Amino acid sequence: QVQLVESGGGLVQAGGSLRLSCAASGSTFNINDMGWYRQAPGKQRELVAAISSGGSTNYADSVKGRFTISRDNAKNTVYLQMNSLKPEDTAVYYCNCHSMIGLREYAYWGQGTQVTVSS
């Protein structure tokens, strides 16, 4: 089992910045990919950014050039630096990770942190 705890959400004006953190605990030795998803009211959850254990990254087109994902494997923590925030970035942001045990892959989710961008 892996537990994920997010922090860093809040209210910010358009054009501002926030940094989200997600700390993993429990059986962290099998974690490979980590990432951030978001869900706005009335919309489906969508991938924002992901990072592999080797550091390869993937971003949604809507955040490229504004958001940066990084991870500290020693601390089992993934970060999302969000710059030039827009009102449309308002959502609940969820941390996610995948863990391989044998041939089975497990997905874990954090509880979510609210990000609100005012215009």
Side-chain angles (χ1 to χ4, degrees):
Q1 288 286 337
V2 175
Q3 294 78 43
L4 300 172
V5 178
E6 301 111 333
S7 60
L11 173 64
V12 65
Q13 288 188 333
S17 299
L18 283 175
R19 188 192 195 207
L20 305 183
S21 299
C22 172
S25 61
S27 301
T28 59
F29 51 90
N30 287 324
I31 292 176
N32 39 52
D33 293 349
M34 301 186 78
W36 291 92
Y37 287 71
R38 67 186 180 187
Q39 187 167 19
K43 295 188 177 181
Q44 290 188 332
R45 191 173 296 189
E46 62 175 0
L47 174 68
V48 176
I51 185 167
S52 70
S53 56
S56 297
T57 58
N58 180 38
Y59 294 94
D61 288 342
S62 59
V63 307
K64 284 180 180 177
R66 300 188 298 122
F67 291 10
T68 302
I69 189 170
S70 60
R71 67 190 285 175
D72 184 332
N73 290 330
K75 295 182 179 180
N76 296 309
T77 299
V78 63
Y79 306 96
L80 185 68
Q81 178 66 43
M82 304 185 293
N83 299 327
S84 302
L85 282 160
K86 304 175 181 180
E88 51 263 43
D89 294 318
T90 296
V92 178
Y93 283 70
Y94 296 92
C95 179
N96 165 268
C97 76
H98 290 85
S99 176
M100 289 295 297
I101 301 177
L103 297 178
R104 294 192 64 179
E105 184 177 57
Y106 297 85
Y108 298 94
W109 294 91
Q111 79 285 357
T113 185
Q114 177 71 45
V115 171
T116 302
V117 184
S118 63
S119 57

